[in-house]
Amino acid sequence: MSDATVRPYGQADADALWECKQAFELGLGTGTGDDEKAAAYREKLDGDYRASYFAWVDRCVAADERTVQLAERGDEVVGYVFVLPESMAHVWDAAVLNELYVAPDHRGTGVADALLDAALSAAREQSLPLDRLVLDVDPDNERARAFYDRWGFEPWGEMVARSL
C-alpha cells in the first residue's frame, strides 16, 4: 500500500501539476511513438498551451474539485489524476479518466492505485447515462495496459483517428 496522500488540486499547485503534465505528455511522445510523435508532443508544451491547459483545469475544478487530484509523498507532488467533470459525461455517456500520471521514481509503489481509487470514487458520484469509467490507453504502453487490466478494465469499443 502506498504512503501517498491524494488530495484535490488547488491553484497554488499549478507549478507542480505543470511539471507532472509535461512529463506525462513527453512520456506519451517518447514512450509510444517515433521521433515525429515525440517532437509533436514536446513542441506543444509552450506558454500558450500551458495557459489554455490551466484555463481548462480551472473550469473542470470549478465544476467539481475532485476532477483533478494530486498524489503527494511528504511535500512532493508525485502524480495526478484527471477525471472529466460530470458535465462532460455525454462525450462517452460515462465517466472519463482523462489522465493518470505517476513520476517514474514512484511507479510500482502504490501511488497509481491510490490515484485510480480516488478517480473511481469521484466517478461513482457522477450521474451518468452509463455506469462506466472509460479511458484511452496506447496499445504500445504495456505497463499502463497491465495496470488497468489488474483493475478490471476491459476493451470497450475501439477508438480510431485520422489526420486533419
Side-chain angles (χ1 to χ4, degrees):
M1 197 64 183
S2 172
D3 61 345
T5 302
V6 177
R7 64 168 178 80
Y9 161 83
Q11 287 186 337
D13 302 309
D15 288 340
L17 177 58
W18 181 243
E19 188 173 311
C20 288
K21 171 65 173 171
Q22 290 179 95
F24 173 80
E25 295 287 343
L26 293 172
L28 288 176
T30 60
T32 61
D34 56 18
D35 290 342
E36 185 178 333
K37 183 177 179 183
Y41 276 83
R42 187 174 48 256
E43 290 168 10
K44 79 176 189 177
L45 295 171
D46 62 13
D48 289 340
Y49 183 85
R50 179 184 167 129
S52 69
Y53 178 74
F54 279 106
W56 185 49
V57 165
D58 290 345
R59 285 193 308 272
C60 291
V61 169
D64 178 352
E65 75 169 355
R66 295 183 345 158
T67 58
V68 180
Q69 298 185 71
L70 306 177
E72 289 181 316
R73 286 182 129 172
D75 292 334
E76 181 185 8
V77 173
V78 298
Y80 73 101
V81 66
F82 193 155
V83 175
L84 297 184
E86 181 179 323
S87 62
M88 296 183 184
H90 290 287
V91 172
W92 290 101
D93 287 337
V96 177
L97 177 59
N98 190 56
E99 298 170 353
L100 190 151
Y101 172 78
V102 175
D105 290 348
H106 298 275
R107 293 178 186 164
T109 66
V111 172
D113 292 310
L115 286 167
L116 186 55
D117 190 51
L120 286 164
S121 177
R124 285 184 185 113
E125 294 186 18
Q126 295 183 0
S127 178
L128 306 165
L130 299 176
D131 189 22
R132 291 192 174 270
L133 177 63
V134 300
L135 62 124
D136 175 28
V137 179
D138 192 302
D140 293 334
N141 190 338
E142 293 177 17
R143 184 181 183 105
R145 292 186 65 83
F147 172 74
Y148 293 117
D149 286 349
R150 184 169 53 81
W151 273 84
F153 286 80
E154 56 192 21
W156 189 58
E158 184 176 334
M159 184 177 285
V160 297
R162 64 159 282 174
S163 296
L164 298 174

